[in-house]
Amino acid sequence: MSLQNPITFTFSDQAYGEMRRHIDGLVSKASITPHDEGCQDYLADKLEALGFSIHRFNHYGVSNLIALVGKGATRIAFAGHTDVVPTGDIALWQSHPFQPTEVDGEIIGRGIADMKGGIAAMLAAVETTISEWDLSQFSFMFLFTSDEEGEAEFGTKSIVQYLEDNHLVPHYCIVGEPSASAETGDVIKVGRRGAISAELTIKGKQGHAAYPQYANNAAHTASDIASWLNHLSWDSGSDDFPGTSLQITGIDTGQWTDNIIPGESRLCFNVRYSHAYTEAEIRERIENGLAQIQKDITIDWQRPCTPYFTQADAGEQSLITEVEQAIYQVCHRFPRLSTSGGTSDGRFIAASGCQVVELGVPNKTIHQINERVKVTDLQRLLDIYQILLRRLLVNRSVNAV
């Protein structure tokens, strides 16, 4: 791969300063899922000042925001979430989790990596470049929710439904999730595996441990089922997409006594599956196998998440290629393409037919005590976002797909 159509411009200290102010304005708000705590008020004020129209709605306690500027037919979006996971024991933090603090070249704070730092960087990049955009050809939108870290039922899923109803689904979307490994730009996410969990309830017959002939040990049956599940063969994946994996996550017989054979057991497992399978195929395979092993089993399927995968050659213009080129200009290297990690809201946007790439800071401290990001990684992300916006909205004609 070679560098194509490099963008030449001077990086702005003012943009870095704006990004830092946005970090302070966002990380200082204790927006633990599904509460937004004023983050979207802050973003709406900044975006309205730039000429964006704002649509906000609350869906079952989840705050959602859509900001749109431009009248062009080609729609480009940035998607993110303003909610964060709980802090854990605040006494273990080096500084207060909702007071972003710079220590030894790193900013510490809950959500700085996942993903308020990414939101701040994109907002500053937009402020820097919007005066150059051709808004007769392009539309740009921000999509924010306060329920990505939770059940994700009434956040981005609801936003996408609104966009579909109003014929506003984006053609290209950058998701600001922390995608990098060691440093910003080394890895981008071009998809995610699907996921589904299940809880089995296995019925046996309780009895005395000394007289097993009069009982049916539900724990033994659960162990046999766990072994069968563990030995199921799945696809091995590819260089671009890891294969399918099933993990046992719990086996429980409730309260126990060492001379009682349990009459009921619960077994929980999680499947992470590639785009080689559908959710229906996963469920059918497991349910058919269980029916042959044991009749007295009930299964409760939980938290389904569909996979998505953006192809590098998708459409007349590849978002992946544009992201790679922007990263090369800043980092002088091309990123590794990955689909590893958990699920993200990118799946809801990709399901509408949109090209989706996740591009953000390193993820090694997300959800941890003392979540932190190097200042240089945040600066690098801002630079990449600036070049990417210029490639998409200024210097190149993008054809809607």
Side-chain angles (χ1 to χ4, degrees):
M1 181 180 296
S2 60
L3 181 63
Q4 303 169 7
N5 302 315
I7 306 300
T8 302
F9 71 102
T10 303
F11 301 113
S12 167
D13 289 338
Q14 180 182 357
Y16 297 150
E18 289 298 326
M19 177 180 66
R20 183 55 191 269
R21 280 187 282 276
H22 298 326
I23 287 172
D24 291 343
L26 293 170
V27 177
S28 62
K29 295 173 173 57
S31 53
I32 297 172
T33 310
H35 304 292
D36 176 70
E37 297 299 326
C39 289
Q40 292 179 23
D41 291 337
Y42 178 91
L43 293 166
D45 287 345
K46 298 298 181 184
L47 292 170
E48 279 186 313
L50 293 172
F52 282 77
S53 61
I54 307 295
H55 174 67
R56 301 179 67 176
F57 62 97
N58 188 287
H59 197 187
Y60 290 96
V62 175
S63 299
N64 299 306
L65 183 154
I66 300 169
L68 173 66
V69 69
K71 298 184 181 300
T74 299
R75 294 178 293 276
I76 300 168
F78 176 86
H81 59 90
T82 55
D83 61 313
V84 299
V85 298
T87 63
D89 187 351
I90 292 179
L92 298 178
W93 283 73
Q94 188 173 345
S95 57
H96 193 284
F98 296 115
Q99 294 175 359
T101 304
E102 185 172 338
V103 178
D104 297 329
E106 296 179 312
I107 298 177
I108 301 172
R110 174 56 84 222
I112 182 62
D114 192 10
M115 56 166 284
K116 292 179 178 181
I119 293 174
M122 181 55 82
L123 180 54
V126 169
E127 290 172 328
T128 303
T129 62
I130 190 171
S131 63
E132 305 168 36
W133 296 359
D134 185 350
L135 295 177
S136 66
Q137 291 192 52
F138 305 107
S139 302
F140 188 88
M141 61 185 76
F142 280 96
L143 312 174
F144 295 122
T145 184
S146 68
D147 189 31
E148 194 274 346
E149 299 289 6
E151 295 298 321
E153 282 297 316
F154 307 112
T156 301
K157 185 186 292 187
S158 299
I159 290 174
V160 171
Q161 184 63 60
Y162 175 89
L163 296 175
E164 290 177 341
D165 292 344
N166 290 275
H167 308 290
L168 290 173
V169 172
H171 303 98
Y172 309 93
C173 184
I174 303 100
V175 181
E177 288 287 355
S179 61
S181 179
E183 61 183 21
T184 297
D186 62 356
V187 178
I188 61 174
K189 305 286 187 182
V190 297
R192 298 278 187 148
R193 289 187 296 178
I196 190 167
S197 296
E199 180 177 312
L200 304 181
T201 301
I202 301 154
K203 297 290 187 180
K205 183 179 179 181
Q206 183 174 310
H208 197 291
Y211 302 97
Q213 65 271 32
Y214 302 127
N216 179 8
N217 194 320
H220 289 180
T221 304
S223 297
D224 291 341
I225 293 173
S227 178
W228 173 74
L229 289 169
N230 187 45
H231 288 90
L232 286 173
S233 61
W234 305 96
D235 64 297
S236 58
S238 64
D239 291 341
D240 293 327
F241 212 111
T244 299
S245 169
L246 185 151
Q247 297 297 317
I248 305 298
T249 56
I251 299 178
D252 178 38
T253 59
Q255 288 187 328
W256 63 275
T257 302
D258 65 357
N259 63 354
I260 296 178
I261 292 171
E264 181 176 300
S265 182
R266 290 193 303 277
L267 185 153
C268 301
F269 63 89
N270 174 267
V271 183
R272 302 283 166 151
Y273 62 97
S274 75
H275 58 306
Y277 294 95
T278 65
E279 177 190 329
E281 289 170 338
I282 296 287
R283 292 173 60 154
E284 181 180 15
R285 181 181 183 192
I286 291 174
E287 288 174 357
N288 288 344
L290 290 173
Q292 298 177 41
I293 296 173
Q294 171 81 11
K295 297 298 183 184
D296 202 0
I297 297 176
T298 59
I299 184 167
D300 177 24
W301 293 101
Q302 304 168 352
R303 295 174 62 86
C305 301
T306 56
Y308 81 88
F309 184 47
T310 299
Q311 301 282 355
D313 58 352
E316 295 187 18
Q317 183 181 23
S318 167
L319 179 59
I320 292 175
T321 297
E322 295 301 324
V323 170
E324 289 176 322
Q325 295 289 320
I327 288 173
Y328 187 86
Q329 280 198 246
V330 175
C331 305
H332 308 295
R333 60 184 289 185
F334 288 106
R336 178 170 59 87
L337 308 186
S338 173
T339 57
S340 64
T343 59
S344 85
D345 278 4
R347 68 189 187 273
F348 301 124
I349 303 167
S352 67
C354 176
Q355 292 186 44
V356 175
V357 171
E358 299 179 28
L359 169 60
V361 296
N363 54 31
K364 57 187 174 184
T365 67
I366 62 173
H367 296 199
Q368 295 182 9
I369 300 292
N370 292 319
E371 180 179 348
R372 62 184 66 206
V373 177
K374 291 180 180 178
V375 173
T376 53
D377 279 312
L378 289 161
Q379 292 173 333
R380 188 177 295 115
L381 183 64
L382 171 58
D383 294 344
I384 292 169
Y385 281 165
Q386 287 176 303
I387 290 179
L388 179 59
L389 291 175
R390 287 172 178 259
R391 292 188 65 87
L392 292 174
L393 291 153
V394 179
N395 292 54
R396 186 171 291 227
S397 174
V398 182
N399 297 312
V401 293

